[in-house]
Amino acid sequence: MYPSRFHYEAPRSLAEAFSVLQAYGDEAKVLAGGQSLIPLIKLRFSAPAVIVDINNIPGLDYHEEDSDGSLNIGALCRHRTLERSPLLRSRYPTMAACAPLISDPMVRTRGTLVGSLCHADPQGDWASVMLALGGDIIAQSAKGERAIPASQFVVGPFQNALEPNEIAVRARVPASKGTRSGTYLKLERRVGDFATVGVAVALEASGSTINRAGIALTGVGPSNIQCTEAEQALAGKTLNASTVEQAARLAAQAAQPKTDVRGSAEYKRHIVHTFVMRALSNQQQARAA
Amino acid sequence: MAQALDEVKIGGLGASRKRVEDDRFVVGKGNYTDDFKLPGMLHMEILRSPLAHARIKSIDTSKAWQMPGVHMVLTGDMAAQHNLAWMPTLSYDTQAVLATDKVRFQGQEIACVVADDPYIAKDGCEAIQVEYEPLPVIVNPYQAVAEGAPVIRDDKEGQTDNICYRWDVGDREGTERAFAQADVVSKIELHYPRSHPSPIECCGSIADYNAATTKLTVYMTTQAPHIIRAAVAIVAELPEHMIRIVSPDIGGGFGNKVPVYPGYVCSILCSILLARPIKWIEDKTGNLISTGYARDMYYKGELALRKDGKILAVRFHADTDNGAFFSDAQPTKFKIGLLHSAFACYDIPYAYMTAQGAYTNKAPGGVAYRCSFRVTEAMFFQERAIQTAANDLGMDQAEFRRINLVKDDQFPFRTPYGFLLDSGQYEKCLDVALNAIGYHDFLREKEEARKQGRRLGIGLSTMTEPLGAGNSREYDILGIKMFDCAELRVHPSGKAILKIGSKTQGQGHETTFAQIVSHELGIPAADILVQHGDTDNTPFGMGTYASRSTPTAGAATAMVSRKIRAKARKLAAHLLEVSEEDVEWELGRFYVRSAPNNGVTIQECAMAAYGNMPDGLEPGLENNAYYDPPNMTWPFAAYIVTVEVDPETGVWDVLRMVAVDDCGVRINPMIVEGQIMGGMTEAYAMSNMQFITFDAEGNCVGSNYMDYLLPTAWETPGFELHEVVTPSPHHPIGAKGIGECACVGGPAAFVNAVHDALDDTGVRNIDMPLLPHRVWEALTYKRDVSGAPPLKTDAD
C-alpha cells in the first residue's frame, strides 16, 4: 500500500493524545483498529496529514458492566473480544448476534466497535445495534467528557459528531428495562461484504409485555435508521401475529433504500420486512417455548 | 530375481506426491517478481484514466517532473517518439500503451512516473494534470452497434463503426433444413457476465536494460515467457537473442498473465531510456480494472428437437463485448476462440454459429480465464440450452442428455464444426454422477418439499472440452505454431534436470512433470529437478494456459524420456555385454532377457554415459523432444448440484455437489483433485457472486475485493469427487488435462440447479451471478432477469 505522506503519532496516554489533537486540529485522524481507515488511505480516498495511533494507550481495551447496570465498551475493545464474550452471550443477545457478522475474522481481530461507530459508514452494523439498544458514545477531550446519544452521533455518511479535539473513548449501553431478547440479521453476498440489509432488533420485556423495543436498519439509507414508529408499535404490547406484522410494515416504511449492485430498492425494503418478521417471530416462538 | 520398482513409491504415475514447490511457498521463500531487488532499481507507477471515454485535451506533467526523487514522467507522446505509443495485440489489433488521443476505458494507462520509491512515483502520478473532454460511453455491444453510437476506435484507418470482427462456422443450409423438420424449437437468450481471473499476485515487471552489453532482462509475471520474448522483440524492435524473460514464481495466472500489458512495455522503455532497472508492480485495482478480463458474451441460441428427444440441429449467435481493443489471447485462425466446441459432446447432425465482436468503453482482454479460448462460455451456453430444451420437451434432464450424448462406439466422432472427439465414456460418467447424487431419490424429495413450500432444485452439466492446443496445422499465436518442448539432462549420478517451455502458476509442474520422467525412466521423482520460466535456460514453449501443459509439454517430457531410455539401452547392452536386442526394460532397470538377475539400473547407465561409453557412441545422456499433438485432448465431465432456494430472500444454498471427471490417466491424483476443487470453487463463484459490471458512465463496479467478490472457505460448498478413466489415444501417457474442466463445466450445474428450483414459474433465464435479489425478482414476478450492463442504480 502506498498512501499519501502522513505524520505518525503514537501517544502513550489520553492526555498526550489530547495534546496531539490540540496541535493538529482537524488534520489529525485517530487510528484504533484501522480496518476502515487503512483501506481509505490505501486507496487515497483519505489523506490525513497526521495519524494518531491510540493503540499504545493503556486502559481502553475492555468491556464491562458498570454498577448502574450499563455496559461500557472501551475504544480498543476488538470485535473478536465481543464475539467471544460470555457476558454478551448471556445478557446482550443483539450484540452477541451481530459480533460474528462483522466483516471477516481478520477484520474482527483488529477492528473495534467504537472505531466502527466513529467511521459512520451507513453500512456499518454496530451503529444499528447501538441505535436499537439506545446506547451512546462517550467523547472525551482535555476539558472532560460528554455523552452523545447514538441517534445523534452520526451526522451524515462517514461524518460523526466528534469535535477535532475529542476522542470517542467508549460506547455505552444503558441498563435494561426488563429481560433482553433480540437479534441481528444481516443479508450479505459473502463473508466480509457490507450488508445488503441488516436489521437489529432489541427487546426489553417483563413477562410477555415489551417495555422497550429497539429496531434499527443497516444499509438502507444515508445512515443507519432507527425505526421509531415500529418501536412505538411494540412498546407496551405483547408479540403476536398482528403486532409483529405491524412492526415489520412500519420498519419497511422507514427504510430509504437505493437501487444498486446489491439489489433494487424494492428488494431491500422487502428484506427489511422479512427480517423484522423473522426476528420478532423467533422471539415470539422462543417466548412461547 | 531383482524386484521391479514400485512406481508409486518412487513418485511415478499415480503417486499422490506432495507438491515440491510448496516447501518454499509455505515458509515464505517463494520468489515472486516483487521479491527481486536489483542494484540501482527505480520504481514506476501508472496514471490511469478516471473516465471511460474522453478526448485528452492536454497533459501537464511539469509538477511531477519537479518533485524530488522523480526520474521520469513518460507520456504517450514521448512513447510515440520511440514508436511505442501503440502495440499490437494477440488478435492482430492495436492497443494503446499510453493514451495519446483519447481514453477509451476507465483505468486506461495515460502516463507513468519513475521515481526512487513507489510512494514518490504515486505522488508523481497525482501531480499530473490531465484535461479531458468527456464523450458518450458504451458499455455493451448493443449500444456499440446502435445508430449514432460514437466510434470508439477512430484511431483505426477505415474504422467507421464499433464492430471488431464477424465470424461464422458450420453448415448453414443443412441446419436450416433440420430446423424445418423440428417438432419443437427451444430458444434461450442469456449473458455470460464479465469476469476477471484475479490472481492474488497482480501483474508486474522489472526491466533491466544493460547499456554496456545491450542485453535486456525482464523479470515478469507471465504464463508464456517464450511468447513474450518474441512479442518484445517485435514491439520494442530488439534482437530476440538479446532479450531474456524470467518468469519467477507466479502467484496465480488463470489466463490473466498471458497478454502483454502496457505496464511491461513502459517499464522496458523507461529502463532503456534511463539505463536503470525499473520495477513496476500493479496494485489490485489496476489489475481488476485494466488487465485481461474474461467472458462478457451474449448468446441467442435455438435447438431443433424431435418429440422423442433427439436433437436435430443447433444454431446460435454470440455477441462479444471486446472492450476498447481487440486483444483476445487466442489462436490466429479463430476470432471467437473455440466457441464452436459448444455442443461437442452431443450427437447433433447439423450446426451453425455466427459471432460478432464489438468495441466498448471497457478494459480489453478476452482472456481464457481457466479455460481453452472461450470454451467456458461455450459449455455454459450449451448446458443452459440443454436444460431448457429438456424442460420445453417435458423430458427428464438426465434422460434427455443420455439420448443425445455421443455413444462409446461412435468414437472417433467428428462434430459438425469439424472437431474430432477421439475417446470417452460419456454415459458411464453420467451414470456415476446420477448414482452418486441419488438422482431419483432427490427428485422425490424435491416434490415432497415443494408441497411444504420449500424449493429444492437439481442441476446437471455434462461436457467435453478441447484442451491442449494445439496441433500445429490449425493453432498458432502470432504465427508461431502451438507445440511444446522438453529437454532432459541426466547427470552421471543418475539425477536429472528437466527443462520445459511451459510455466507453472500453481499447477504443480515441478512435481508432476518429474513424475512423468519417473514413470518413463524409473528415476525417483525426488531425483529430478524441473526448471521453467527463464527463456535463456529453457527450450521454446508456448506457455501454460488452456490446460495445455500436460497435453503438450507433458507429452514432450514423456517423449524425451523415451529418447533417453533408448540411448540408455545401448549403454546397458554395453555394460551387460549382450546385444541391444537381448536387453529388456522394466521400471528403472535393464536386464538380460535370458538372465533376469543380470541387469543394470538406469543410474548405472547414466554413469556409463559419462565414464564408460562404448566406442562410437556419443557421450552424455541428454536430449530434447518437441511434441506436436495430432489432436486436442477431450476430457469429459458430469457435474450435478442440488440446491435449496429461500423464496423469501432469493438466497440459495448448495446442498450437494458431485463431480465426475474423466481426464484420462491421472499423473498425480491429489493434484488432480486439487485442480477440480479449485476450478469448482471458481464455477461456484461465477454462478453465485463474482462479476464485474459497469454503470452507464462506464465506471467499473468490481474494482477491488470489496466489490469483486471471491468466495471464501465460508461460502464455498464441499465437493464430492469421482473419477472415470478413458486414456487419451494419442497422448504418450494417456493424460488429457484437468486444470479447467470444473471451471468450464461447473457454472451451468449450479445455475441449472437454481432454475430447476423455479421450474414451476415459467422463468427461463436469470443471468449470472444468481445474486439473491435476482432470484427473488424472478420468483416474485415470474420473469427472466437480465444482468447485462449498464448497472441499474438510483440517480443520487
Side-chain angles (χ1 to χ4, degrees), chain B residues 512-768:
Chain B
T512 54
F513 280 57
Q515 292 184 246
I516 298 172
V517 176
S518 192
H519 170 69
E520 295 291 340
L521 292 178
I523 298 173
D527 290 350
I528 301 155
L529 178 69
V530 178
Q531 292 191 329
H532 52 152
D534 181 343
T535 55
D536 269 11
N537 195 26
T538 53
F540 195 87
M542 291 300 277
T544 294
Y545 43 87
S547 283
R548 63 185 300 281
S549 290
T550 293
T552 58
T557 297
M559 299 312 278
V560 73
S561 301
R562 290 174 193 183
K563 285 184 180 177
I564 294 287
R565 196 166 75 207
K567 182 165 184 187
R569 179 184 295 273
K570 293 184 197 299
L571 292 157
H574 170 65
L575 293 174
L576 294 166
E577 298 177 342
V578 294
S579 74
E580 219 184 308
E581 293 73 42
D582 293 330
V583 171
E584 289 286 337
W585 167 257
E586 65 182 7
L587 191 65
R589 178 177 179 269
F590 292 100
Y591 61 90
V592 179
R593 184 177 304 120
S594 54
N597 282 332
N598 192 10
V600 287
T601 63
I602 186 74
Q603 287 82 5
E604 288 165 327
C605 294
M607 185 56 83
Y610 297 89
N612 181 18
M613 53 283 195
D615 289 345
L617 187 69
E618 200 181 343
L621 197 56
E622 302 184 352
N623 217 323
N624 66 11
Y626 279 81
Y627 188 74
D628 183 2
N631 190 10
M632 309 292 261
T633 57
W634 294 89
F636 184 82
Y639 301 135
I640 305 185
V641 169
T642 56
V643 298
E644 175 157 11
V645 175
D646 176 349
E648 284 189 320
T649 61
V651 171
W652 51 278
D653 292 315
V654 175
L655 304 174
R656 286 180 67 199
M657 197 283 143
V658 165
V660 180
D661 279 279
D662 180 357
C663 58
V665 172
R666 297 185 173 200
I667 298 165
N668 181 321
M670 180 191 72
I671 287 182
V672 168
E673 291 185 358
Q675 288 277 353
I676 296 167
M677 290 187 201
M680 200 54 78
T681 302
E682 290 178 279
Y684 168 73
M686 265 162 306
S687 68
N688 189 282
M689 61 178 79
Q690 180 181 320
F691 75 127
I692 284 181
T693 190
F694 295 80
D695 67 15
E697 280 76 50
N699 293 306
C700 175
V701 180
S703 64
N704 59 64
Y705 280 165
M706 286 309 296
D707 293 324
Y708 190 63
L709 303 179
L710 307 182
T712 70
W714 187 263
E715 295 84 21
T716 306
F719 309 125
E720 303 167 37
L721 308 187
H722 300 263
E723 69 172 332
V724 168
V725 176
T726 315
S728 164
H730 73 78
H731 189 281
I733 59 167
K736 293 185 172 178
I738 188 60
E740 304 165 337
C741 299
C743 184
V744 170
F750 293 99
V751 172
N752 281 345
V754 174
H755 282 83
D756 187 56
L758 274 54
D759 61 359
D760 58 344
T761 61
V763 171
R764 291 179 83 77
N765 183 60
I766 308 167
D767 278 340
M768 286 197 293

Side-chain angles (χ1 to χ4, degrees), chain B residues 28 32 70 86 106 124-125 186 205 228 357 428 579 643 753:
Chain B
Y32 300 93
V70 169
W86 293 82
Q106 186 184 58
C125 286
S186 173
S205 55
I228 293 286
K428 181 177 175 185
S579 74
V643 298

Side-chain angles (χ1 to χ4, degrees), chain B residues 38-45 69-72 113-118 121 205-207 270 274-280:
Chain B
L38 304 184
M41 185 170 80
L42 300 173
H43 298 263
M44 187 186 96
E45 281 285 332
V70 169
H71 292 253
M72 171 164 284
V113 175
V114 177
D116 286 336
D117 65 47
S205 55
I206 305 169
C270 289
L274 292 167
R276 298 271 293 265
I278 307 292
K279 180 188 269 190
W280 164 64

Side-chain angles (χ1 to χ4, degrees), chain B residues 181-461:
Chain B
Q181 289 160 14
D183 296 324
V184 175
V185 172
S186 173
K187 298 184 183 183
I188 186 167
E189 292 186 14
L190 50 88
H191 176 224
Y192 202 127
R194 179 171 279 231
S195 184
H196 196 283
S198 185
I200 294 299
E201 180 202 27
C202 301
C203 296
S205 55
I206 305 169
D208 181 16
Y209 180 72
N210 185 323
T213 64
T214 72
K215 180 122 185 173
L216 171 69
T217 303
V218 188
Y219 302 84
M220 63 189 290
T221 52
T222 177
Q223 299 175 223
H226 295 272
I227 305 182
I228 293 286
R229 184 181 61 189
V232 170
I234 295 164
V235 173
E237 295 178 348
L238 294 171
E240 197 170 351
H241 67 297
M242 296 307 278
I243 303 167
R244 177 182 172 208
I245 305 296
V246 181
S247 181
D249 286 331
I250 296 187
F254 309 104
N256 183 242
K257 291 170 181 167
V258 173
V260 177
Y261 292 121
Y264 300 153
V265 177
C266 290
S267 68
I268 290 169
L269 179 57
C270 289
S271 181
I272 292 171
L273 293 176
L274 292 167
R276 298 271 293 265
I278 307 292
K279 180 188 269 190
W280 164 64
I281 299 294
E282 187 178 60
D283 63 18
K284 186 55 71 184
T285 294
N287 182 254
L288 284 169
I289 66 176
S290 77
T291 65
Y293 77 92
R295 331 298 188 222
D296 211 347
M297 195 187 289
Y298 298 75
Y299 169 92
K300 289 178 187 163
E302 48 190 352
L303 288 172
L305 305 166
R306 217 164 56 196
K307 260 185 280 186
D308 63 1
K310 174 74 187 157
I311 306 171
L312 302 175
V314 57
R315 183 162 61 192
F316 70 88
H317 175 76
D319 285 297
T320 56
D321 180 331
N322 293 74
F325 309 104
F326 183 24
S327 68
D328 293 26
Q330 60 195 357
T332 304
K333 198 174 150 183
F334 306 101
K335 293 298 164 208
I336 185 167
L338 305 180
L339 191 71
H340 56 308
S341 62
F343 300 94
C345 68
Y346 298 107
D347 177 4
I348 303 176
Y350 294 98
Y352 180 64
M353 65 156 279
T354 55
Q356 179 172 293
Y359 291 118
T360 62
N361 293 118
K362 291 153 76 173
V367 299
Y369 169 13
R370 208 166 183 156
C371 74
S372 280
F373 318 119
R374 302 287 193 179
V375 304
T376 308
E377 294 94 312
M379 299 316 153
F380 182 72
F381 296 156
Q382 165 192 305
E383 286 307 296
R384 293 286 297 118
I386 290 288
Q387 190 200 34
T388 309
N391 289 345
D392 287 347
L393 284 170
M395 193 173 253
D396 176 81
Q397 50 175 320
E399 273 319 295
F400 180 63
R401 284 180 172 81
R402 189 188 304 282
I403 289 168
N404 289 292
L405 283 171
V406 173
K407 306 291 181 292
D408 296 2
D409 60 6
Q410 288 179 283
F411 295 105
F413 179 87
R414 182 76 65 181
T415 77
Y417 294 123
F419 289 112
L420 189 71
L421 312 183
D422 55 18
S423 60
Q425 302 175 72
Y426 297 174
E427 207 173 341
K428 181 177 175 185
C429 292
L430 176 63
D431 283 332
V432 170
L434 292 171
N435 286 335
I437 202 89
Y439 185 64
H440 293 287
D441 289 344
F442 185 84
L443 293 184
R444 276 191 292 279
E445 197 187 324
K446 174 186 155 188
E447 206 173 316
E448 285 305 310
R450 189 67 62 84
K451 288 176 195 159
Q452 298 153 20
R454 290 170 57 216
R455 289 190 170 273
L456 306 187
I458 185 163
L460 276 66
S461 176

